Amino acid sequence: MERHEQVIADVFGLYERFGDSDYIGEPVSQIEHMSQAAELAMAEGFDDEVVLAAFFHDIGHICAESAENMEGFGVVSHERLGADYLRRAGFGERLARLVEYHVQAKRYLTLKEPGYYERLSEASRRTLAYQGGVMSESEAEAFEQDPLCEVSLRMRQWDERAKEMWVPVIDLEILKRKAVTLLSGEAR
């Protein structure tokens, strides 16, 4: 259990150090954005792995110190950097892939959902080019075949909604307990 406690201290320590930072051109901080995404997942009754993926989805912006920047709108390839960081920390592949896929979901929805691009925040629009742009039809067909496609699309919706000002941050102890359970293999 000691290793798990160290992982929790390290991962959540990032939020303690960088969570109050502005969330790349949005009206909320990093921690407010992550908290709201996790709470939306919890409100819809998703399992702990999905809730934590929602919370961690943008961890790549704060775990990679010397990463390339997207013109002040966060870190290039933050989805991959974050997923790899979580894998190294011992989290499961499903959680890591959900973190990685939240950008793919944006690219997919930009292709498939009329008006989606117009509803994106300015920061999300600006970063789309760095993230591969709108998905091609063949990329979209492949994404649709992935078993995590549907939940990735839900995560993207939470990501877009998790930008409300003045929403209290979730008690991080709740998320830490979920993380310990996952890391110790008790979940599922």
Side-chain angles (χ1 to χ4, degrees):
M1 192 62 118
E2 192 173 297
R3 159 124 169 86
H4 303 312
E5 291 169 2
Q6 185 60 53
V7 167
I8 300 305
D10 292 347
V11 172
F12 284 88
L14 290 171
Y15 294 99
E16 290 163 10
R17 287 196 313 276
F18 305 113
D20 289 334
S21 308
D22 285 342
Y23 175 61
I24 55 167
E26 303 292 357
V28 294
S29 68
Q30 290 278 351
I31 192 69
E32 289 168 326
H33 177 64
M34 303 302 181
S35 171
Q36 289 176 38
E39 288 189 285
L40 289 165
M42 288 171 64
E44 290 187 28
F46 279 87
D47 63 68
D48 290 352
E49 206 166 31
V50 174
V51 169
L52 286 170
F55 182 75
F56 292 144
H57 77 274
D58 277 340
I59 198 168
H61 287 303
I62 60 175
C63 73
E65 292 184 26
S66 61
E68 183 183 352
N69 197 288
M70 294 183 286
E71 297 176 31
F73 289 99
V75 172
V76 173
S77 299
H78 76 282
E79 70 282 7
R80 183 181 44 76
L81 294 170
D84 288 345
Y85 173 81
L86 294 166
R87 284 181 184 106
R88 287 191 306 273
F91 288 97
E93 187 60 21
R94 179 174 176 245
L95 184 148
R97 286 179 53 214
L98 287 170
V99 167
E100 199 161 8
Y101 285 3
H102 82 278
V103 167
Q104 297 305 318
K106 176 168 84 170
R107 296 180 61 229
Y108 175 87
L109 289 168
T110 305
L111 171 70
K112 294 288 190 173
E113 191 176 299
Y116 180 78
Y117 179 81
E118 289 73 24
R119 290 192 308 271
L120 288 173
S121 67
E122 180 62 26
S124 287
R125 284 188 214 149
R126 299 266 308 264
T127 58
L128 183 62
Y130 284 99
Q131 297 165 335
V134 177
M135 255 190 194
S136 68
E137 287 291 342
S138 62
E139 287 175 312
E141 287 173 19
F143 188 57
E144 289 165 351
Q145 301 307 307
D146 193 294
L148 295 177
C149 178
E150 287 304 315
V151 72
S152 297
L153 296 176
R154 284 303 310 139
M155 269 190 52
R156 188 68 213 179
Q157 299 300 325
W158 304 326
D159 187 2
E160 297 305 331
R161 291 174 49 202
K163 298 173 184 176
E164 298 294 322
M165 293 173 57
W166 319 120
V167 175
V169 172
I170 192 172
D171 179 357
L172 292 185
E173 291 305 315
I174 294 168
L175 298 175
K176 288 177 182 180
R177 285 192 299 273
K178 290 177 183 302
V180 167
T181 300
L182 279 180
L183 288 168
S184 64
E186 296 169 21
R188 289 239 214 256

